[in-house]
Amino acid sequence: MSNLARQIQQEQQQRQQQVQKPKKSVQRQTLFSPGEKILGILFAGAVCIGAVTMVSNQSALYEVNKNIQQTEAAIQGQTEQNKDLSMQVAELSTYERIKAKAEELGLTFNEKNVKAVRD
């Protein structure tokens, strides 16, 4: 029985040793170091800021182009109106019309008072 008792004692000691053995901690290897993570975050931030800046610049350019087109349309409309008015001035300032209007108002034509104007 002494052999049996020794075996049992050895088994108990082995169990206690197994229980008492500190478990090896498993160290996880990270893919990126903290410095690389910071650089990655900074790079991502710079890309986002650049993208926002580009979008805002495109938006500002769109607004400016829209204003330019509106101004050009207004200029074209005013130019057409000016042409129409200059045509009316040319029609209303003919010699025959002026003479007829003067006669309506009771004015007479005196050739002695007419002087030629040279350019």
Side-chain angles (χ1 to χ4, degrees):
M1 190 119 147
S2 72
N3 249 352
L4 185 58
R6 281 188 189 168
Q7 281 181 351
I8 293 175
Q9 254 183 349
Q10 285 177 358
E11 286 177 10
Q12 286 177 352
Q13 285 177 357
Q14 284 178 357
R15 285 183 191 162
Q16 286 177 357
Q17 285 177 357
Q18 286 177 354
V19 171
Q20 290 177 358
K21 285 183 184 178
K23 293 183 178 180
K24 293 182 181 179
S25 62
V26 177
Q27 292 183 352
R28 290 180 31 196
Q29 292 181 351
T30 58
L31 295 176
F32 301 107
S33 68
E36 289 173 338
K37 289 179 184 177
I38 291 172
L39 286 176
I41 291 170
L42 289 175
F43 178 73
V47 168
C48 289
I49 290 172
V52 168
T53 303
M54 286 174 51
V55 169
S56 66
N57 286 342
Q58 287 295 327
S59 174
L61 285 174
Y62 174 77
E63 286 294 322
V64 169
N65 284 336
K66 187 172 112 178
N67 289 339
I68 288 172
Q69 288 177 352
Q70 288 175 347
T71 304
E72 286 177 350
I75 289 171
Q76 186 177 7
Q78 188 65 41
T79 303
E80 289 177 10
Q81 187 178 10
N82 289 347
K83 285 180 183 179
D84 291 341
L85 291 174
S86 64
M87 286 176 46
Q88 285 180 0
V89 167
E91 289 174 3
L92 295 175
S93 64
T94 60
Y95 175 75
E96 291 82 20
R97 184 181 178 286
I98 293 173
K99 185 177 177 184
K101 193 69 172 176
E103 288 176 356
E104 268 180 37
L105 296 173
L107 300 174
T108 59
F109 182 67
N110 187 357
E111 291 184 20
K112 294 178 185 177
N113 290 336
V114 178
K115 293 181 182 178
V117 179
R118 295 182 190 176
D119 289 335

